[in-house]
Amino acid sequence: MKAKFKSYIYDTNLEGSQKASSYIRAIDLLDAILQSKAKSKLEGFKSIYDIKSKDIISRLYDYVLEEQNNERGIF
């Protein structure tokens, strides 16, 4: 799934833009943090890239927002 995402993100961004590589890097960092500090939030999946459920992605999104605003959060 990661290869498909990379292909999509590069295909839909302007040539020469660093946006695509920044998105991929951010998701890779988020994936590593979740795997090491909040594995249960992945709900049994090994990686963000393995998740296809919109519900799980939505819960992860909400969790990340909460943690981002928490001074003692995982970030």
Side-chain angles (χ1 to χ4, degrees), residues 5-6 9-10 13 17-25:
F5 175 72
K6 284 177 79 171
I9 204 76
Y10 279 111
N13 277 278
S17 168
Q18 297 300 314
K19 189 188 296 188
S21 59
S22 294
Y23 286 165
I24 292 166
R25 177 76 176 133

Side-chain angles (χ1 to χ4, degrees), residues 3-65:
K4 288 181 182 180
F5 175 72
K6 284 177 79 171
S7 178
Y8 168 79
I9 204 76
Y10 279 111
D11 289 347
T12 58
N13 277 278
L14 295 174
E15 189 173 328
S17 168
Q18 297 300 314
K19 189 188 296 188
S21 59
S22 294
Y23 286 165
I24 292 166
R25 177 76 176 133
I27 291 175
D28 286 344
L29 289 171
L30 177 60
D31 195 32
I33 291 167
L34 290 172
Q35 287 179 33
S36 68
K37 296 184 179 183
K39 194 170 191 120
S40 66
K41 297 298 180 183
L42 293 173
E43 299 193 26
F45 290 94
K46 291 182 180 182
S47 169
I48 289 174
Y49 293 105
D50 297 333
I51 301 171
K52 295 181 176 116
S53 165
K54 290 179 185 179
D55 291 335
I56 296 172
I57 294 295
S58 179
R59 286 193 296 272
L60 270 176
Y61 178 78
D62 291 340
Y63 174 73
V64 168
L65 287 179

